[in-house]
Amino acid sequence: MKGVTLMNKAENALLAKAHALYAKRLTTDDYSAMLECHSNNELFSYLKSNTSYGEYLEKLPSVQLSRARFENVMKQVLLDRIASLCRFEKMIGEKLYKYFITKNEIETIIYCSRHLDITEITDLFIIPEFYKKEQSVFGEEMQKARSFDELVDYLKGSPYEKTVKAVMKTVGDLNLATLENALYGFLYTETANQIKKAFKGKQGEEILRYFKTVSDMMMIESVIRLNQFYSNVPGAKANLYISPISEFDQKQIQALIDSTSVDDVMKIINTTRYKKYFLKEDNRPVEQRTREVIVTECTKQLRYSQNPLVCMFCYSTLAENEIKNITHIIEGIKYKLSPDEISQIIVKGEDACLSKK
């Protein structure tokens, strides 16, 4: 009985922590103010003085803060906040926190694969101590690779070695789209297997729903982009991301693969629970539409779910989206876009509606 009580306390602590972090989200007033900024320094100063990011930014100089440096700092804020949740989840005795470690390592592998020609060693891979204790690959070392073969050497003995070598064997050369698809397929397959093994009934289904949504939106993006831009490119379908854990059944997935137009894709989507998000005509890029689906679903789950693990994952996604929004504002400032133009490329979700009291 004492063990059960301790477990309940740990679960309640995780749930409370996720909601406490969620309460620190940017408001409508924050977004309005940020959209009026004319430089990175103005944006930095606003975040530092008026938002929960201030505690992370107060020690950094704002003078001539580069865009890349600013983005790196924001990523480190995200990792630090997620790490604070992972520590609580580890106390419960579960191991789903490893999803975040794996996801970060996959993003590191993909980044290094895209930048084999860059000799500068960046601070992009500064990670919280919690991550360092769990990591199996090291971004600081992988940055030194100047060829894909060298990069693969850094992955020897890691959980990713088999997946990456299978990509090399299949395509015969470095293909970033195939590599990215394979690594994310590995991530969601491993995580789903762990969930199915550890959780039964409604609790497990609720956690799986989150991962199905995230992975399915990746698949929808992939299929729509193919039909919009690469339908006449020989072999392009080999680069499709096919979700290994999905709300689509195998027949529907095959129909997505065989689709020849965006209309075909929409007809298939409209046979699933995602149809309510795609019924309206929408000319925004598909990446914005799928992000909005994920943000909406996560907001709803975080508000109403009492499953601490679901709330942890949903908060992490909303926090990541918020960082993406800040990054888009940084980009908008760089290219001198108007506030209206920038607002069209960020996804605030229905929850950014709160104003400061």
Side-chain angles (χ1 to χ4, degrees), residues 27-253:
T27 67
T28 297
D29 291 345
D30 290 325
Y31 277 109
S32 296
M34 291 190 298
L35 289 170
E36 294 296 331
C37 292
H38 296 94
S39 69
N40 284 345
N41 285 345
E42 279 187 41
L43 180 60
F44 176 92
S45 296
Y46 180 82
L47 290 169
K48 182 177 178 180
S49 302
N50 299 280
T51 74
S52 64
Y53 294 102
E55 61 184 290
Y56 297 92
L57 303 178
E58 60 184 359
K59 296 180 181 179
L60 295 175
S62 60
V63 179
Q64 295 182 343
L65 183 71
S66 72
R67 180 174 59 88
R69 174 64 174 147
F70 198 169
E71 290 177 3
N72 290 353
V73 170
M74 298 314 295
K75 179 180 179 181
Q76 288 162 25
V77 172
L78 175 65
L79 293 180
D80 189 63
R81 287 180 168 177
I82 292 174
S84 70
L85 291 174
C86 289
R87 284 190 286 270
F88 280 99
E89 198 262 354
K90 193 173 183 179
M91 287 170 56
I92 296 175
E94 308 297 349
K95 296 183 179 180
L96 291 185
Y97 70 86
K98 290 183 180 293
Y99 162 80
F100 296 108
I101 309 298
T102 303
K103 183 173 182 286
N104 185 64
E105 291 185 329
I106 284 173
E107 290 172 353
T108 300
I109 293 167
I110 292 169
Y111 176 89
C112 290
S113 299
R114 292 183 186 278
H115 298 88
L116 292 170
D117 58 338
I118 295 179
T119 57
E120 180 184 359
I121 304 299
T122 73
D123 62 356
L124 181 64
F125 305 107
I126 296 175
I127 57 177
E129 284 299 318
F130 184 88
Y131 279 68
K132 288 181 181 179
K133 292 176 181 177
E134 301 282 345
Q135 67 184 345
S136 60
V137 297
F138 302 87
E140 296 89 342
E141 291 299 315
M142 280 194 292
Q143 283 187 96
K144 299 173 184 177
R146 295 294 166 262
S147 70
F148 192 55
D149 286 336
E150 286 184 20
L151 186 68
V152 173
D153 285 339
Y154 284 110
L155 299 176
K156 284 183 178 177
S158 75
Y160 318 105
E161 180 182 10
K162 184 177 178 180
T163 300
V164 174
K165 285 186 174 179
V167 170
M168 293 179 68
K169 185 177 180 180
T170 301
V171 301
D173 199 358
L174 173 59
N175 183 309
L176 289 175
T178 306
L179 175 65
E180 187 170 343
N181 290 344
L183 286 171
Y184 278 107
F186 168 82
L187 171 66
Y188 292 119
T189 299
E190 290 294 305
T191 304
N193 288 340
Q194 189 175 353
I195 292 167
K196 290 172 184 177
K197 184 178 179 180
F199 303 95
K200 304 296 182 185
K202 184 178 178 180
Q203 185 181 25
E205 290 172 5
E206 196 177 3
I207 301 171
L208 283 171
R209 179 186 173 98
Y210 164 84
F211 285 102
K212 287 179 180 179
T213 302
V214 174
S215 188
D216 278 344
M217 291 306 111
M218 285 182 62
M219 180 166 64
I220 289 171
E221 284 179 21
S222 183
V223 173
I224 289 180
R225 280 200 305 263
L226 172 71
N227 281 296
Q228 284 181 322
F229 306 114
Y230 306 106
S231 58
N232 296 320
V233 178
K237 287 192 175 182
N239 290 330
L240 283 176
Y241 173 78
I242 305 302
S243 181
I245 171 174
S246 180
E247 295 287 0
F248 296 90
D249 60 32
Q250 288 304 309
K251 185 177 179 180
Q252 290 168 326
I253 289 175

Side-chain angles (χ1 to χ4, degrees), residues 188-328:
Y188 292 119
T189 299
E190 290 294 305
T191 304
N193 288 340
Q194 189 175 353
I195 292 167
K196 290 172 184 177
K197 184 178 179 180
F199 303 95
K200 304 296 182 185
K202 184 178 178 180
Q203 185 181 25
E205 290 172 5
E206 196 177 3
I207 301 171
L208 283 171
R209 179 186 173 98
Y210 164 84
F211 285 102
K212 287 179 180 179
T213 302
V214 174
S215 188
D216 278 344
M217 291 306 111
M218 285 182 62
M219 180 166 64
I220 289 171
E221 284 179 21
S222 183
V223 173
I224 289 180
R225 280 200 305 263
L226 172 71
N227 281 296
Q228 284 181 322
F229 306 114
Y230 306 106
S231 58
N232 296 320
V233 178
K237 287 192 175 182
N239 290 330
L240 283 176
Y241 173 78
I242 305 302
S243 181
I245 171 174
S246 180
E247 295 287 0
F248 296 90
D249 60 32
Q250 288 304 309
K251 185 177 179 180
Q252 290 168 326
I253 289 175
Q254 188 59 53
L256 287 173
I257 295 170
D258 295 337
S259 64
T260 58
S261 70
V262 175
D263 285 342
D264 287 346
V265 176
M266 291 303 172
K267 288 176 183 177
I268 300 163
I269 292 173
N270 287 338
T271 64
T272 72
R273 69 174 174 85
Y274 304 124
K275 65 181 179 180
K276 61 184 177 182
Y277 299 110
F278 293 92
L279 290 175
K280 294 181 181 179
E281 195 69 29
D282 194 330
N283 294 321
R284 292 178 301 166
V286 62
E287 292 83 0
Q288 267 185 283
R289 297 186 69 181
T290 53
R291 265 178 72 200
E292 193 164 76
V293 174
I294 294 170
V295 167
T296 301
E297 293 252 326
C298 285
T299 300
K300 182 179 178 181
Q301 289 291 88
L302 192 50
R303 281 175 175 173
Y304 300 115
S305 176
Q306 292 301 305
N307 186 325
L309 296 173
V310 168
C311 291
M312 175 179 74
F313 288 118
C314 287
Y315 167 75
S316 72
T317 297
L318 295 175
E320 185 175 4
N321 178 68
E322 194 167 271
I323 298 296
K324 284 182 181 178
N325 285 339
I326 293 172
T327 301
H328 285 317

